[in-house]
């Protein structure tokens, strides 16, 4: 979190030289958008309107363009999420191998609906589109880690290991 907090009117990256370093790695400022959004997420936990405004200024784009990008990528969030973000792929290869059943099981176990976070802030369940690992469907991604060929039994073990 920056020194003023994520919900204040302005957002400033903690390390402006790191921002400049990222910008210097791309031929144009807009190409640095995703790395800057990831950096902001690392600092603030999720993407707020002040962050969108700040990043828009940096990459010289309209805030609505930044918001379009944020809403496109399932790894970018505009609200607080749980410590563990459980993303279940819902695209056809995962779906026909039981992904829907995995979502139902997970939501029942955690007493939440897709898109929600448990009251203790530990788990968020999200239905997402293809995560690019269709050959190991059905896929569950926990934060940045892939868990392949998921079954209800493996999911229960995974939840136990995270609790
Ligand atoms: S369809 Fe699920 S990872 Fe591609």
């Amino acid at each position: 979190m920056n020194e003023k907090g994520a919900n204040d009117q302005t957002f400033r990256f903690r390390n402006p030289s790191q921002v400049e370093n990222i910008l210097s790695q791309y031929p144009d400022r807009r190409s640095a958008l995703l790395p800057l959004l990831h950096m902001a997420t690392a600092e603030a936990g999720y993407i707020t309107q002040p962050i969108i405004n700040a990043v828009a200024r940096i990459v010289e784009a309209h805030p609505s363009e930044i918001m379009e990008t944020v809403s496109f990528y399932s790894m970018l969030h505009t609200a607080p999420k749980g410590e563990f973000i459980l993303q279940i792929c819902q695209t056809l290869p995962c779906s026909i191998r039981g992904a829907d059943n995995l979502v139902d099981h997970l939501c029942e176990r955690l007493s939440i609906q897709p898109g929600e976070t448990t009251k203790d802030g530990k788990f968020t369940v999200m239905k997402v589109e293809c995560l690019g690992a269709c050959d190991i469907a059905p896929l569950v991604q926990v934060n940045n880690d892939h868990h392949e060929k998921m079954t209800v039994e493996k999911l229960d073990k995974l939840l136990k290991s995270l609790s």
Side-chain angles (χ1 to χ4, degrees), residues 15-163:
N15 188 345
S17 64
Q18 194 175 351
V19 172
E20 289 307 317
N21 183 38
I22 288 172
L23 290 171
S24 73
Q25 294 174 38
Y26 296 93
D28 60 80
R29 299 176 83 82
R30 283 178 184 236
S31 300
L33 177 55
L34 279 177
L36 291 174
L37 289 171
H38 284 301
M39 188 173 152
T41 298
E43 289 190 21
Y46 59 98
I47 304 295
T48 63
Q49 188 61 48
I51 288 173
I52 288 171
N53 295 341
V55 171
R57 279 192 301 276
I58 292 168
V59 302
E60 299 171 354
H62 192 277
S64 65
E65 295 174 80
I66 310 303
M67 193 58 214
E68 278 177 27
T69 300
V70 170
S71 52
F72 180 79
Y73 288 102
S74 60
M75 73 281 210
L76 297 170
H77 310 292
T78 55
K81 298 293 178 198
E83 177 184 357
F84 298 108
I85 301 172
L86 305 162
Q87 298 182 72
I88 301 98
C89 173
Q90 296 292 286
T91 305
L92 193 60
C94 284
S95 185
I96 60 176
R97 290 183 177 91
D100 299 339
N101 192 35
L102 295 175
V103 172
D104 291 345
H105 181 72
L106 202 47
C107 288
E108 190 179 322
R109 285 266 332 247
L110 298 174
S111 301
I112 57 175
Q113 295 298 310
E116 293 181 347
T117 299
T118 53
K119 285 192 175 94
D120 63 1
K122 191 115 181 164
F123 299 105
T124 298
V125 173
M126 296 176 65
K127 291 162 61 167
V128 298
E129 297 304 321
C130 182
L131 291 162
C134 322
D135 57 321
I136 54 173
L139 187 73
V140 173
Q141 182 170 308
V142 182
N143 296 345
N144 295 318
D145 298 327
H146 282 179
H147 296 268
E148 63 185 59
K149 298 179 181 173
M150 188 54 69
T151 63
V152 165
E153 293 74 26
K154 286 168 77 174
L155 196 51
D156 283 338
K157 280 187 190 161
L158 178 61
L159 273 184
K160 193 173 178 187
S161 73
L162 300 173
S163 297

